[in-house]
Amino acid sequence: MPLSSPSRGPLVAIVGPTAAGKTALALDLSHHLDLEVVSADSRQIYRYMDIGTAKPSASEMRLVPHHLVDVVGPDETLTLAQYQELAYRVIDDVLARGRLPLLVGGTGLYVWSVLENWQIPRVSPQPDLRRRLEEEAARHGPEYLHRRLADVDPTAAAGIHPNNLRRIIRALEVFQQTGVPISRLQDRGEPRYRYQVLGVTAPRRELYRRADQRVDAMIERGLVEETRRLLEAGYSPQLPAMSGLGYRQVAEYLAGQYDLSEAIRRIKTCTHRFIRQQHTWFRLDDPRICWFEQPLDPQEVLSVVRLFLEDRGQY
């Protein structure tokens, strides 16, 4: 059967904002279904970064196999095209073993590129160009590059936050190399799998409370020590991996810019903002997503999955 066939599935995805309970639901389902987890988290791809990325614990990964965790070093990059290719390879392997692949994560780019078979430009990174663009952003601010992108690709600019420098630079990089806006290159292909998307969420205030608890737990588990080890190993705080939630604020604390209580406050504030941004990828009115609100009824979720596997579900 051709790989592009939509009947090649099945594939189940669990999506939703940070701290909503995606990992816990995946583990609950693993007690009833023969499955393997495929991570769709753009932070868990980095090795040596365990606490701040909320990776599954060793015991959780012994309970159910996890894939696409610890893929690259903190000073390496993994493009969306590379992630998509790795995800397809892993999903196909899981299906070949007769097991259910469970795509779990809150990175919308990762999730939808796999489910909708985005035709991603295979344009290799250009370090010199990226460096020049980063220098321009440092001088004029990321909004300056965002305006440049809006001039050549207004569609892409409308979908990228003005502060998301990495995606802005990538879009400009693709346009400069191909002469074609990235928004025109990112068409959707025929889905490779028959899929069901499960969404996990909670009221906004509850999400913030859960996120704050997670941040406190990360500090208790040793986020400061983990960040210090990364810096002592030579990983620059300017690396994209080190600029993520938690690591950036702790690195600034270690550099003496403010005390630990202020670092924790900033991590929580930025996490709240990130939760709001995630809702642009996973909207509550999206008909592709079957939403469940905390506290979950695992049996209700399981019944939806079983209906889908019996080919009586929505997708």
Side-chain angles (χ1 to χ4, degrees):
M1 183 179 296
L3 289 181
S4 61
S5 170
S7 62
R8 181 169 166 77
L11 171 63
V12 173
I14 299 179
V15 304
T18 291
K22 298 182 292 294
T23 299
L25 176 58
L27 294 173
D28 279 340
L29 292 177
S30 74
H31 294 302
H32 306 278
L33 301 166
D34 190 17
L35 59 83
E36 298 185 25
V37 171
V38 182
S39 173
D41 188 305
S42 62
R43 303 179 69 216
Q44 294 181 358
I45 62 171
Y46 295 113
R47 292 188 287 269
Y48 321 126
M49 307 180 76
D50 302 331
I51 298 172
T53 62
K55 283 179 189 169
S57 67
S59 61
E60 289 171 337
M61 288 194 281
R62 283 194 297 269
L63 181 65
V64 56
H66 283 66
H67 304 277
L68 302 188
V69 175
D70 294 336
V71 178
V72 295
D75 56 349
E76 298 175 301
T77 59
L78 186 74
T79 67
L80 180 60
Q82 289 171 324
Y83 170 80
Q84 184 194 52
E85 183 177 349
L86 288 173
Y88 283 156
R89 189 181 308 162
V90 167
I91 291 167
D92 289 345
D93 287 346
V94 173
L95 288 169
R97 289 192 289 273
R99 311 189 80 189
L100 174 66
L102 195 64
L103 187 68
V104 182
T107 301
L109 276 172
Y110 281 11
V111 171
W112 295 118
S113 72
V114 170
L115 297 182
E116 298 184 328
N117 192 17
W118 289 6
Q119 306 302 291
I120 304 166
R122 262 58 178 179
V123 176
S124 59
Q126 301 295 308
D128 291 340
L129 172 60
R130 289 187 174 188
R131 192 176 305 111
R132 291 197 302 272
L133 292 172
E134 288 168 356
E135 290 171 354
E136 290 184 37
R139 287 195 303 270
H140 307 294
E143 297 84 0
Y144 171 78
L145 292 186
H146 192 266
R147 288 193 296 270
R148 280 182 52 183
L149 177 61
D151 289 338
V152 299
D153 191 350
T155 301
I160 300 176
H161 192 280
N163 290 332
N164 194 331
L165 185 58
R166 185 158 39 158
R167 288 189 63 202
I168 294 170
I169 288 177
R170 178 57 177 168
L172 289 170
E173 179 181 54
V174 169
F175 179 78
Q176 182 152 329
Q177 288 191 69
T178 65
V180 180
I182 193 172
S183 60
R184 284 172 49 193
L185 294 172
Q186 289 180 329
D187 292 332
R188 274 84 170 138
E190 183 182 16
R192 289 173 56 137
Y193 311 101
R194 183 175 61 88
Y195 63 84
Q196 170 73 60
V197 187
L198 310 173
V200 185
T201 191
R204 185 68 58 85
R205 289 175 63 88
E206 173 63 10
L207 286 173
Y208 291 168
R209 186 191 67 80
R210 294 167 67 100
D212 289 349
Q213 285 186 334
R214 173 181 285 189
V215 171
D216 290 336
M218 287 176 175
I219 295 296
E220 292 177 5
R221 289 180 55 209
L223 178 58
V224 173
E225 291 74 16
E226 182 175 77
T227 305
R228 182 182 288 112
R229 286 196 299 270
L230 289 164
L231 294 170
E232 290 175 349
Y235 295 112
S236 167
Q238 306 306 317
L239 289 169
M242 294 292 288
S243 65
L245 285 172
Y247 294 102
R248 176 169 62 85
Q249 293 83 5
V250 172
E252 291 170 350
Y253 152 67
L254 292 172
Q257 295 186 29
Y258 38 75
D259 62 21
L260 182 57
S261 62
E262 175 63 13
I264 294 171
R265 186 193 69 80
R266 293 188 180 206
I267 295 171
K268 292 178 178 179
T269 298
C270 291
T271 303
H272 296 179
R273 185 183 307 122
F274 181 60
I275 287 171
R276 294 193 295 271
Q277 291 170 353
Q278 284 179 301
H279 279 101
T280 65
W281 286 104
F282 308 118
R283 298 181 62 87
L284 295 178
D285 60 356
D286 189 332
R288 299 171 296 179
I289 304 174
C290 180
W291 283 103
F292 298 89
E293 187 170 290
Q294 295 285 3
L296 298 179
D297 178 352
Q299 288 303 315
E300 182 183 0
V301 181
L302 182 62
S303 68
V304 170
V305 176
R306 284 180 167 156
L307 282 172
F308 164 71
L309 295 176
E310 294 169 4
D311 204 21
R312 291 189 283 124
Q314 183 176 0
Y315 294 104

Coordinates of all heavy atoms in Angstrom, one line a residue, residues 3-55:
L3 N 2.6 4.8 0.8 CA 2.7 5.5 2.0 C 1.8 6.7 2.1 O 1.4 7.1 3.2 CB 4.2 6.0 2.2 CG 5.2 4.9 2.5 CD1 6.6 5.6 2.7 CD2 4.9 4.1 3.7
S4 N 1.4 7.2 1.0 CA 0.5 8.4 1.0 C -1.0 8.0 1.2 O -1.8 8.9 1.4 CB 0.6 9.2 -0.3 OG 0.2 8.3 -1.4
S5 N -1.3 6.7 1.3 CA -2.7 6.3 1.4 C -3.2 6.7 2.8 O -2.6 6.5 3.8 CB -2.8 4.8 1.3 OG -4.1 4.4 1.7
P6 N -4.4 7.4 2.9 CA -5.0 7.8 4.1 C -5.4 6.6 5.0 O -5.7 6.8 6.2 CB -6.2 8.7 3.7 CG -6.5 8.2 2.4 CD -5.3 7.8 1.7
S7 N -5.5 5.4 4.4 CA -5.9 4.2 5.2 C -4.7 3.5 5.8 O -4.9 2.4 6.4 CB -6.7 3.3 4.3 OG -5.8 2.8 3.3
R8 N -3.6 4.1 5.8 CA -2.4 3.4 6.3 C -2.4 3.4 7.8 O -1.8 2.5 8.5 CB -1.1 4.1 5.8 CG 0.1 3.4 6.4 CD 1.4 3.9 5.7 NE 2.6 3.5 6.4 CZ 3.1 2.3 6.4 NH1 2.5 1.3 5.7 NH2 4.2 2.0 7.0
G9 N -3.1 4.3 8.5 CA -3.2 4.5 9.9 C -3.5 3.2 10.6 O -3.2 2.1 10.1
P10 N -4.0 3.2 11.8 CA -4.5 4.4 12.5 C -3.5 5.1 13.3 O -2.4 4.6 13.7 CB -5.6 3.8 13.4 CG -5.0 2.5 13.8 CD -4.3 2.0 12.5
L11 N -3.7 6.4 13.6 CA -2.8 7.2 14.4 C -3.7 8.1 15.3 O -4.7 8.7 14.9 CB -2.0 8.2 13.5 CG -1.2 9.2 14.2 CD1 -0.1 8.6 15.1 CD2 -0.5 10.1 13.2
V12 N -3.4 8.0 16.6 CA -4.2 8.9 17.6 C -3.2 9.9 18.1 O -2.0 9.6 18.4 CB -4.7 8.0 18.7 CG1 -5.3 8.9 19.8 CG2 -5.7 7.0 18.2
A13 N -3.7 11.2 18.2 CA -2.9 12.3 18.7 C -3.5 12.8 20.0 O -4.8 12.9 20.1 CB -2.8 13.4 17.7
I14 N -2.7 13.2 21.0 CA -3.2 13.9 22.2 C -2.5 15.2 22.2 O -1.3 15.4 22.2 CB -2.8 13.1 23.5 CG1 -3.5 11.7 23.5 CG2 -3.2 13.9 24.7 CD1 -3.1 10.9 24.7
V15 N -3.3 16.3 22.1 CA -2.8 17.6 22.1 C -3.4 18.5 23.2 O -4.3 18.1 23.9 CB -3.2 18.3 20.7 CG1 -2.6 17.4 19.6 CG2 -4.7 18.5 20.5
G16 N -2.9 19.7 23.3 CA -3.4 20.6 24.3 C -2.3 21.5 24.9 O -1.2 21.2 24.6
P17 N -2.7 22.4 25.7 CA -1.7 23.3 26.3 C -0.8 22.7 27.3 O -1.1 21.6 27.8 CB -2.6 24.5 26.9 CG -3.9 23.8 27.2 CD -4.1 22.8 26.1
T18 N 0.3 23.4 27.7 CA 1.2 22.9 28.7 C 0.4 22.7 30.0 O -0.5 23.5 30.4 CB 2.3 24.0 28.9 OG1 3.1 24.0 27.7 CG2 3.1 23.7 30.1
A19 N 0.8 21.6 30.7 CA 0.3 21.3 32.0 C -1.2 20.8 32.0 O -1.8 20.7 33.1 CB 0.4 22.4 33.0
A20 N -1.8 20.5 30.8 CA -3.2 20.1 30.8 C -3.3 18.7 31.2 O -4.4 18.3 31.6 CB -3.7 20.3 29.4
G21 N -2.3 17.9 31.1 CA -2.4 16.5 31.5 C -2.2 15.5 30.3 O -2.8 14.4 30.4
K22 N -1.5 15.9 29.2 CA -1.4 15.0 28.1 C -0.6 13.7 28.4 O -1.0 12.6 28.0 CB -0.7 15.8 26.9 CG -1.5 17.0 26.5 CD -0.7 17.7 25.3 CE 0.6 18.3 25.7 NZ 0.4 19.5 26.7
T23 N 0.5 13.9 29.1 CA 1.3 12.7 29.4 C 0.5 11.7 30.3 O 0.6 10.5 30.1 CB 2.6 13.1 30.1 OG1 3.4 13.9 29.2 CG2 3.5 11.9 30.5
A24 N -0.2 12.2 31.3 CA -0.9 11.4 32.2 C -2.0 10.6 31.4 O -2.2 9.4 31.7 CB -1.5 12.2 33.3
L25 N -2.6 11.3 30.5 CA -3.7 10.6 29.7 C -3.0 9.5 28.8 O -3.6 8.4 28.7 CB -4.4 11.6 28.8 CG -5.5 11.0 27.8 CD1 -6.5 10.2 28.6 CD2 -6.1 12.1 27.0
A26 N -1.9 9.8 28.2 CA -1.2 8.8 27.4 C -0.9 7.5 28.2 O -1.1 6.4 27.8 CB 0.1 9.3 26.8
L27 N -0.4 7.7 29.5 CA -0.1 6.6 30.3 C -1.4 5.8 30.7 O -1.4 4.6 30.8 CB 0.7 7.1 31.6 CG 2.1 7.7 31.3 CD1 2.6 8.3 32.6 CD2 3.0 6.6 30.7
D28 N -2.5 6.6 31.0 CA -3.7 5.9 31.3 C -4.1 5.0 30.1 O -4.5 3.8 30.3 CB -4.8 6.9 31.6 CG -4.8 7.5 33.0 OD1 -4.2 6.8 33.8 OD2 -5.3 8.6 33.2
L29 N -4.1 5.5 28.9 CA -4.5 4.7 27.7 C -3.6 3.5 27.5 O -4.0 2.5 27.0 CB -4.5 5.6 26.5 CG -5.5 6.7 26.4 CD1 -5.3 7.6 25.2 CD2 -6.9 6.1 26.5
S30 N -2.3 3.6 27.9 CA -1.4 2.5 27.8 C -1.8 1.3 28.6 O -1.3 0.2 28.3 CB 0.1 3.0 28.1 OG 0.2 3.1 29.5
H31 N -2.6 1.5 29.6 CA -3.0 0.4 30.4 C -4.1 -0.5 29.7 O -4.3 -1.6 30.1 CB -3.6 0.8 31.8 CG -2.6 1.5 32.7 ND1 -1.4 0.9 33.1 CD2 -2.5 2.8 33.2 CE1 -0.7 1.7 33.9 NE2 -1.3 2.8 33.9
H32 N -4.7 0.1 28.7 CA -5.8 -0.5 28.0 C -5.5 -0.8 26.5 O -6.2 -1.7 25.9 CB -7.0 0.3 28.1 CG -7.4 0.7 29.5 ND1 -8.1 -0.1 30.3 CD2 -7.2 1.9 30.2 CE1 -8.3 0.5 31.5 NE2 -7.7 1.7 31.4
L33 N -4.5 -0.2 26.0 CA -4.2 -0.3 24.5 C -2.7 -0.6 24.3 O -1.9 -0.2 25.1 CB -4.5 1.0 23.8 CG -6.0 1.5 23.9 CD1 -6.1 2.9 23.4 CD2 -6.9 0.6 23.1
D34 N -2.4 -1.4 23.3 CA -1.0 -1.8 23.0 C -0.5 -0.6 22.1 O -0.6 -0.6 20.9 CB -1.0 -3.1 22.2 CG 0.4 -3.6 22.1 OD1 1.3 -3.2 22.8 OD2 0.6 -4.5 21.2
L35 N 0.2 0.3 22.8 CA 0.6 1.6 22.1 C 2.0 1.9 22.4 O 2.6 1.4 23.3 CB -0.4 2.7 22.5 CG -0.5 3.1 24.0 CD1 0.7 4.1 24.4 CD2 -1.8 3.8 24.2
E36 N 2.5 2.8 21.6 CA 3.8 3.5 21.8 C 3.7 5.0 21.6 O 2.9 5.4 20.7 CB 4.9 2.9 20.9 CG 5.1 1.4 21.1 CD 6.3 0.9 20.2 OE1 7.2 1.7 19.8 OE2 6.2 -0.4 19.9
V37 N 4.4 5.8 22.4 CA 4.2 7.2 22.3 C 5.3 7.8 21.4 O 6.5 7.5 21.4 CB 4.4 7.8 23.7 CG1 4.5 9.4 23.6 CG2 3.2 7.4 24.6
V38 N 4.8 8.7 20.5 CA 5.7 9.5 19.6 C 5.6 10.9 20.1 O 4.5 11.6 20.0 CB 5.3 9.4 18.2 CG1 6.2 10.1 17.3 CG2 5.2 7.9 17.7
S39 N 6.7 11.5 20.6 CA 6.7 12.8 21.2 C 6.5 13.9 20.1 O 7.2 13.8 19.0 CB 7.9 13.1 22.0 OG 8.0 14.4 22.4
A40 N 5.6 14.8 20.3 CA 5.5 16.0 19.5 C 5.8 17.3 20.3 O 4.9 18.2 20.4 CB 4.1 16.0 18.8
D41 N 6.9 17.3 20.9 CA 7.3 18.4 21.8 C 8.7 18.9 21.3 O 9.7 18.1 21.3 CB 7.4 17.9 23.2 CG 7.6 19.0 24.2 OD1 8.6 19.7 24.1 OD2 6.9 19.1 25.2
S42 N 8.7 20.1 20.9 CA 9.9 20.7 20.4 C 11.0 21.0 21.4 O 12.2 21.3 21.0 CB 9.6 22.0 19.6 OG 9.1 23.0 20.5
R43 N 10.8 20.8 22.7 CA 11.8 20.9 23.7 C 12.3 19.6 24.2 O 13.5 19.5 24.6 CB 11.2 21.7 24.9 CG 10.6 23.1 24.4 CD 10.0 23.8 25.6 NE 11.1 24.3 26.6 CZ 10.9 24.3 27.9 NH1 9.8 23.9 28.4 NH2 11.9 24.7 28.6
Q44 N 11.5 18.6 24.1 CA 12.0 17.3 24.6 C 12.9 16.6 23.6 O 13.5 15.5 23.9 CB 10.8 16.4 24.9 CG 10.0 16.9 26.1 CD 8.8 16.0 26.4 OE1 8.5 15.0 25.7 NE2 8.0 16.3 27.4
I45 N 13.1 17.2 22.4 CA 14.1 16.6 21.5 C 15.5 16.8 22.0 O 16.4 16.1 21.5 CB 14.0 17.3 20.1 CG1 14.3 18.8 20.2 CG2 12.6 17.1 19.5 CD1 14.4 19.5 18.8
Y46 N 15.8 17.7 22.9 CA 17.1 18.0 23.3 C 17.6 17.1 24.4 O 17.0 16.9 25.5 CB 17.3 19.4 23.8 CG 17.0 20.5 22.8 CD1 15.9 21.3 22.8 CD2 17.9 20.6 21.7 CE1 15.6 22.2 21.8 CE2 17.6 21.5 20.7 CZ 16.5 22.3 20.7 OH 16.2 23.3 19.8
R47 N 18.8 16.5 24.2 CA 19.5 15.7 25.3 C 20.0 16.6 26.4 O 20.2 17.8 26.2 CB 20.7 15.0 24.7 CG 20.3 13.9 23.7 CD 21.5 13.0 23.3 NE 22.4 13.8 22.4 CZ 22.3 13.8 21.1 NH1 21.4 13.0 20.5 NH2 23.2 14.4 20.4
Y48 N 20.1 16.0 27.6 CA 20.6 16.7 28.8 C 19.6 17.7 29.4 O 20.0 18.3 30.4 CB 22.0 17.3 28.6 CG 22.9 16.6 27.7 CD1 23.5 17.2 26.5 CD2 23.2 15.2 27.9 CE1 24.3 16.4 25.7 CE2 24.0 14.5 27.1 CZ 24.6 15.1 26.0 OH 25.4 14.4 25.2
M49 N 18.5 17.9 28.8 CA 17.5 18.9 29.2 C 16.3 18.1 29.6 O 15.4 18.0 28.8 CB 17.3 19.9 28.1 CG 18.6 20.6 27.6 SD 18.3 21.9 26.3 CE 17.7 23.2 27.4
D50 N 16.3 17.6 30.8 CA 15.2 16.8 31.3 C 14.2 17.4 32.2 O 12.9 17.3 31.9 CB 15.8 15.6 32.0 CG 16.8 14.8 31.2 OD1 16.7 14.8 30.0 OD2 17.7 14.2 31.8
I51 N 14.6 18.2 33.2 CA 13.7 18.8 34.1 C 12.9 19.9 33.5 O 11.7 19.9 33.6 CB 14.5 19.2 35.4 CG1 15.2 18.0 36.0 CG2 13.6 19.9 36.4 CD1 16.2 18.4 37.2
G52 N 13.6 20.8 32.9 CA 12.9 22.0 32.3 C 12.0 21.7 31.2 O 11.2 22.5 30.8
T53 N 12.1 20.5 30.5 CA 11.3 20.2 29.4 C 10.2 19.2 29.8 O 9.4 18.8 29.0 CB 12.1 19.5 28.3 OG1 12.7 18.3 28.8 CG2 13.2 20.5 27.8
A54 N 10.1 18.9 31.1 CA 9.1 18.0 31.6 C 9.1 16.7 30.9 O 8.0 16.1 30.5 CB 7.7 18.6 31.6
K55 N 10.2 16.1 30.6 CA 10.3 14.8 29.9 C 9.7 13.7 30.8 O 9.7 13.8 32.0 CB 11.7 14.4 29.6 CG 12.4 15.1 28.5 CD 13.8 14.7 28.3 CE 14.5 15.6 27.2 NZ 15.9 15.3 27.2

